[in-house]
Amino acid sequence: MEISDNQTTLCPSARPEMVDSVVFGVIAGTVTEPIVTYLKQSIPITNELLALASPVTPTEIFRTAAPCASKGCQYFDGRDCRLAMQIVDKLSAVVEQLPPCSIRRNCRWWQQEGQAACMRCPQVITDNYNPSKSMHEAATPQASLSE
């Protein structure tokens, strides 16, 4: 089966239950300083793969991507992903070189914000129960409306 990340703009912060979602990274590091380890090739999400996350949620250990929901997403403003904008605006880079990433070519964050998004991406955890103040601000949809 051909994975859609070869043809479609992908959200790198998608929920694993979204249609055509893939795992492109595994969370490593610590609770206070998590970091994404990128897979050489994205893996389609299956129930068996999700079960490997137990007893935590899959989004605590996997970074997943899926086709961008665009107007169906709380971060999409009709043209751009506000989450990508806020991550670049509010977070510091955590790597000095572009990390290897199997979805970059089709990634909305890369297409929209370029290298700046990629340099911050390794610190993004979809379900982060201990976010820094700046991470919380970057991930809050209302923050994009207060300009």
Side-chain angles (χ1 to χ4, degrees):
M1 178 173 104
E2 195 65 28
I3 300 172
S4 64
D5 66 356
N6 291 327
Q7 314 126 24
T8 305
T9 298
L10 297 173
C11 169
S13 190
R15 307 294 307 177
E17 61 273 9
M18 293 176 73
V19 175
D20 293 331
S21 58
V22 296
V23 171
F24 70 96
V26 176
I27 310 305
T30 65
V31 172
T32 56
E33 290 188 34
I35 192 92
V36 175
T37 301
Y38 295 90
L39 303 177
K40 290 183 190 262
Q41 186 172 8
S42 58
I43 302 170
I45 292 194
T46 62
N47 288 334
E48 294 79 15
L49 181 62
L50 294 177
L52 294 175
S54 184
V56 299
T57 65
T59 50
E60 289 178 78
I61 61 167
F62 297 132
R63 275 292 297 280
T64 57
C68 175
S70 58
K71 293 178 181 149
C73 178
Q74 63 185 337
Y75 294 105
F76 194 71
D77 69 4
R79 194 182 110 215
D80 291 319
C81 173
R82 301 291 296 192
L83 179 58
M85 294 167 76
Q86 290 172 195
I87 284 171
V88 168
D89 183 52
K90 298 186 183 303
L91 301 179
S92 298
V94 292
V95 294
E96 295 179 10
Q97 298 178 42
L98 284 177
C101 180
S102 62
I103 68 161
R104 181 173 293 122
R105 183 181 75 205
N106 299 93
C107 178
R108 172 159 305 277
W109 294 4
W110 166 255
Q111 292 170 356
Q112 180 183 310
E113 302 293 329
Q115 185 172 336
C118 295
M119 305 298 259
R120 290 154 177 81
C121 185
Q123 67 191 306
V124 176
I125 313 303
T126 304
D127 284 343
N128 186 340
Y129 299 112
N130 190 30
S132 66
K133 182 179 185 229
S134 56
M135 180 66 73
H136 179 70
E137 290 173 0
T140 302
Q142 293 77 14
S144 67
L145 302 175
S146 63
E147 295 178 10

